[in-house]
Amino acid sequence: MSGPIKNDRRVILVGTVETLRGAARLLEGIASDEAEVLGAVVLTADELGAARERNELPWPVLGTAEDLARLHGRFGFGAAVVSIPGVMGAAMGRVSTALSALGVEERVLPSIHDVLNGGASTMGHDTALGRAVFGGSSAGGGAAGMDFARLIGRPARALDHEAAGRALRGKRVLITGAGGSIGSELARLCASVEPETLILMERGENALFEIDREIGARFPGVARRAVLHDVTDTEGTLRRLVSLRPAVVFHAAAHKHVPMMEDHPSAAVTNNLFGTKSIADAALAVGAERFVMVSTDKAVNPSSVMGATKRMAELYVRSLNGSRGGNGQANGTNGGTHFSLVRFGNVLGSACSVLPIWAGQVSEGGPVTVTHPEMTRFFMTIPEAATLVIHAGTLGADPRTGRRHEVFILDMGEPVRIVELAERFVRALGATPRFPDGFAGRGGPSVGPAVRVVFSGIRPGEKLHEELAYAAEELRPTEAAGVMAWVGELTERIDPAYITQMIAEMSAMKSVQDADMVIRAIGNYVQIQNKQSTILPSRGEAA
C-alpha cells in the first residue's frame, strides 16, 4: 500500500474479522484528515453476525462482500483497503472484481500472518492453490512444502530400487489408468528402474498427454508408448496387448468415487469389473509374467457399489491363477502369469479427493466440510502407495509354503479421524479451524483467518470405518517392508462355476439404466452392507 489515495477520502476496509483487527492496529496512526474510514466489510454472513455481536472492531460493520454494490450506492466511498489472507485467493479475486466494476480504488494491506510467513499468496481454488499445495511428486508433499506424511502422522517408505529393478528392469511394463493419481506415480517409479519399454495406457486424452510429456522430459532414456485406449473395449484391449506384449501389467484404471457410483452402478460394473476382466484376460492370453490389480479397502465388506464392483474384480482376478495361460503354463506357477491384487485405503492429494476439495473450500473462506465427527480412514501418500504396489508386484513365492501370494494389503498404520486431518490441514494452510458448538478440536494457536468446519453427514455408500482385510484372511508380513500378504489357499476357495455365473449375469447389467436392478444383481454375488434396498443375500461368496 503506497502513495496517497487518489479518489475522495471516504474509505472502507474489507477483510476477515481477524485481518481487520490487525488492520485496526496498523491504521491507528492515520489522522482523521487523511482519510475517513466509513466502516468495515467482512466476507461472509457468519462473520457479519459474529463481528456485530462481539463489537471487536473500531468501525461499524456495514455488511458482507456481497453487499459492496449496495453499500457503494449508499455511502459513495472512493477507496477500499483490502486485507484478505493469501489462502483465500478466490475471495480476494471476487472482491477485486466487484471494486473494479464500481470504480473504487483498491489498496491491499497484507495480513499479519502473510507478512510473518513471507508475503501474501494469491492461491485461488481454481488452479493456483491446487498447484501450490498438491503440485510436484515428492514423497513428502507438494510444491508449497506441505508435508503430507506429517498430516497423517506417519513417515512414508521409499522405493526399493534394487528389488524393483530385479522385477522390472529390461522388461515391458504396462500401466492402465496411467494418467490418474496412482497410475502416474507408478509410471514415474517404473521409469526410474529402466524398463525396456514403459507403456502408458489411459482413456483420458489430456491426462495421457501430460504423463507422457512428463516421463519423456524426466526420463529421456526410457523408451515409452502412449496408448489412448479404454480397457472396457475387450477386443481392442486384446489387440493392443498382442501387439505390445507386456511382461508386467499394473492395472490402476477404475471408477473410484463412492457417491457417484451409487447413482451409476452400471458404469461401475462396466469399468471396475469388466475393464479388469478385459485387461486381465488379455494379459493371460499373451503370457504376461505378472498382473497386479490396484484394489481398495472399500472392497472389504463393501457398503457401496464402488466397493462391491472392486470386490467382484478381485474375485475374478484371483480365479485366473491356476488356469492355463497363453504359454500353456498353469498361472500362479513360475511358468504362467501370476495374478495378484493390492488393497490399500485413501491416498492424500489425489484428484477430486478430500485435500483438493478442502483447499478450495479454504480459499473460498470456508466452510470446510467433514462428513461425520467419528469417521475414520486409512491414509497414505500417493508416492508411498505406488511404491508399495510395485514392491508387492515384485514378490515371489512365500518361502514357508512355496506358493505365490495373491492378495497383498499395504500397512497403512492406524486409521485417522477425518476431522483431525481437516484440523491439521486448515492449520497447515495458515488458518484457524472453528468447529460447531459442542465439538472441540485438538486445539492450537489462533493464527490467520478463522475457517468454519461443518459436519455434512455421511454420503450414500460410505461407512464410518473401513477395513483392509476380511476376518478370514490371515495376514503375514512379507520380505517387502510395509506389505502384508494373505497366506491361505485362496484359489481353492473360488468355484469356477461361481465366477462364470457372476460374469454372465453381470454382463447383462452393463447397459441397464435401472440402478436398483443393477444393485440387486450385484447383491447376488457380493453382499453390500447397510444398503437401503432389496439386496438379495450373496450366494456363498468366497472369503
Side-chain angles (χ1 to χ4, degrees):
M1 193 169 69
S2 62
I5 291 174
K6 296 175 182 177
N7 293 332
D8 72 48
R9 46 192 290 277
R10 288 171 295 177
V11 176
I12 64 166
L13 287 90
V14 185
T16 68
V17 172
E18 286 74 14
T19 60
L20 291 174
R21 279 201 298 260
R25 293 191 292 272
L26 292 172
L27 298 175
E28 282 176 355
I30 294 181
S32 59
D33 60 350
E34 294 180 37
E36 178 189 357
V37 179
L38 301 174
V41 173
V42 293
L43 298 182
T44 67
D46 285 342
E47 284 201 306
L48 178 63
R52 287 176 171 170
E53 180 180 345
R54 297 172 187 170
N55 195 28
E56 297 175 308
L57 299 176
W59 321 282
V61 182
L62 305 176
T64 73
E66 299 296 324
D67 302 321
L68 280 170
R70 178 181 61 81
L71 295 173
H72 184 258
R74 177 180 176 186
F75 294 103
F77 49 84
V81 175
V82 179
S83 183
I84 297 176
V87 293
M88 303 173 80
M92 172 72 86
R94 288 197 302 273
V95 169
S96 294
T97 299
L99 293 174
S100 176
L102 296 170
V104 173
E105 186 177 352
E106 177 187 8
R107 293 303 177 88
V108 176
L109 181 68
S111 71
I112 291 175
H113 178 267
D114 287 332
V115 171
L116 293 176
N117 285 276
S121 165
T122 57
M123 297 187 297
H125 81 287
D126 49 356
T127 56
L129 178 59
R131 285 196 304 270
V133 176
F134 306 106
S137 59
S138 61
M146 178 170 288
D147 188 341
F148 288 174
R150 284 192 66 184
L151 279 179
I152 56 177
R154 58 189 297 271
R157 295 176 179 86
L159 180 67
D160 183 339
H161 279 81
E162 183 179 346
R166 287 195 300 270
L168 305 177
R169 185 173 293 116
K171 296 181 178 179
R172 295 181 184 178
V173 179
L174 184 151
I175 301 166
T176 73
S181 301
I182 293 296
S184 61
E185 190 64 21
L186 285 171
R188 297 179 191 103
L189 294 173
C190 289
S192 73
V193 295
E194 302 173 354
E196 176 203 298
T197 306
L198 183 62
I199 305 164
L200 308 170
M201 185 174 285
E202 167 64 53
R203 70 180 183 181
E205 175 189 7
N206 293 336
L208 180 62
F209 174 81
E210 289 295 338
I211 188 59
D212 180 55
R213 183 177 62 86
E214 179 186 337
I215 296 298
R218 292 181 58 184
F219 305 96
V222 174
R224 68 188 194 284
R225 290 281 303 274
V227 181
L228 186 63
H229 177 70
D230 186 341
V231 293
T232 63
D233 174 3
T234 301
E235 292 182 2
T237 299
L238 179 58
R239 286 196 302 271
R240 296 282 191 177
L241 265 68
V242 167
S243 172
L244 296 167
R245 295 282 171 177
V248 180
V249 177
F250 290 102
H251 175 48
H255 281 325
K256 303 177 178 71
H257 296 292
V258 169
M260 185 170 289
M261 290 304 100
E262 293 300 294
D263 294 331
H264 301 85
S266 62
V269 168
T270 299
N271 206 24
N272 292 353
L273 173 57
F274 286 96
T276 299
K277 180 180 184 300
S278 171
I279 188 70
D281 287 349
L284 175 63
V286 302
E289 297 173 13
R290 300 170 187 261
F291 179 95
V292 183
M293 170 192 165
V294 174
S295 191
T296 170
D297 56 357
K298 294 168 182 60
V300 178
N301 295 317
S303 63
S304 64
V305 168
M306 190 280 273
T309 53
K310 291 290 279 187
R311 177 61 175 163
M312 288 193 289
E314 286 189 357
L315 294 171
Y316 185 79
V317 166
R318 285 167 39 194
S319 75
L320 294 179
N321 282 321
S323 60
R324 295 282 167 177
N327 55 11
Q329 298 291 326
N331 294 301
T333 70
N334 289 332
T337 306
H338 174 56
F339 290 87
S340 63
L341 61 97
V342 183
R343 282 192 209 129
F344 54 92
N346 294 37
V347 291
L348 288 178
S350 60
C352 300
S353 64
V354 67
L355 293 193
I357 291 171
W358 286 344
Q361 291 172 339
V362 171
S363 79
E364 294 278 3
V368 165
T369 54
V370 175
T371 50
H372 191 283
E374 297 303 321
M375 182 174 280
T376 63
R377 288 292 181 268
F378 293 96
F379 283 105
M380 184 174 278
T381 66
I382 293 172
E384 183 179 18
T387 292
L388 295 185
V389 168
I390 291 176
H391 286 178
T394 66
L395 292 173
D398 185 335
R400 289 175 288 267
T401 65
R403 288 184 55 84
R404 299 183 73 174
H405 299 295
E406 295 181 7
V407 176
F408 298 101
I409 288 114
L410 303 190
D411 178 6
M412 302 197 69
E414 295 299 316
V416 177
R417 289 177 70 200
I418 304 292
V419 69
E420 291 184 11
L421 182 68
E423 181 172 6
R424 295 174 202 163
F425 182 73
V426 171
R427 291 189 182 280
L429 286 181
T432 300
R434 193 174 82 226
F435 294 97
D437 292 341
F439 183 88
R442 297 177 66 87
S446 294
V447 293
V451 175
R452 285 193 308 135
V453 177
V454 299
F455 298 116
S456 56
I458 297 176
R459 299 174 298 177
E462 291 185 323
K463 292 193 277 189
L464 268 183
H465 312 291
E466 296 286 2
E467 307 157 89
L468 286 165
Y470 283 86
E473 293 178 334
E474 182 186 354
L475 302 176
R476 289 181 187 167
T478 67
E479 59 265 36
V483 180
M484 296 177 291
W486 204 95
V487 295
E489 298 290 326
L490 283 169
T491 52
E492 295 178 2
R493 291 173 170 243
I494 299 179
D495 180 359
Y498 176 87
I499 298 299
T500 300
Q501 183 177 347
M502 178 183 77
I503 293 301
E505 182 169 348
M506 297 314 302
S507 181
M509 296 296 109
K510 291 190 289 183
S511 59
V512 171
Q513 298 303 308
D514 184 332
D516 287 339
M517 180 183 296
V518 178
I519 291 171
R520 284 194 295 271
I522 293 171
N524 288 338
Y525 298 95
V526 177
Q527 181 66 54
I528 307 179
Q529 307 295 322
N530 305 319
K531 260 291 179 206
Q532 302 279 332
S533 63
T534 56
I535 296 294
L536 300 176
S538 65
R539 299 172 182 167
E541 182 206 347

